Amino acid sequence: MQSAHPDWHFLNLAQHSRNPLCCASETMLQEAALEMQLRGAGSIIICRDGNPIGILTNKDIRRAVSEGADPGSQQVSHYMSAPVITTAAGISVSAALAAMMRHDISHL
């Protein structure tokens, strides 16, 4: 018997930003947090020579503050999560969720 509902996880592709928020590893936490706030972003990609080397999330910023970091003098490189896990373009929602679970990551 065929289901009345399509198999959505094979039909829907994961959406991604074509213009992700990025900064250099030398960027101060405060500057990165301000950019995230202005853009309404939960994370910022840390890049070197145009390639992602890490990601700084709201969780990383909370950890830095709870450890007593001075956001104006600490670089994002000290608190970013690395390496960045990447996927091929056109990944399905189910494959993206499986990869997130497999690598214990919360930002795609």
Side-chain angles (χ1 to χ4, degrees), residues 13-57:
L13 298 179
Q15 299 297 310
H16 64 280
S17 172
R18 297 202 184 280
N19 188 22
L21 186 55
C22 299
C23 71
S25 60
E26 300 82 20
T27 303
M28 297 301 153
L29 280 173
Q30 184 174 18
E31 183 181 348
L34 177 60
E35 286 299 317
M36 290 167 61
Q37 177 67 27
L38 292 173
R39 291 262 306 261
S43 64
I44 187 169
I45 305 296
I46 314 307
C47 294
R48 181 180 301 133
D49 299 325
N51 296 310
I53 61 168
I55 183 170
L56 184 76
T57 66

Side-chain angles (χ1 to χ4, degrees), residues 32 35 50 53 61 71 84 87-88 106:
E35 286 299 317
I53 61 168
I61 294 170
V84 174
T87 66
S106 58

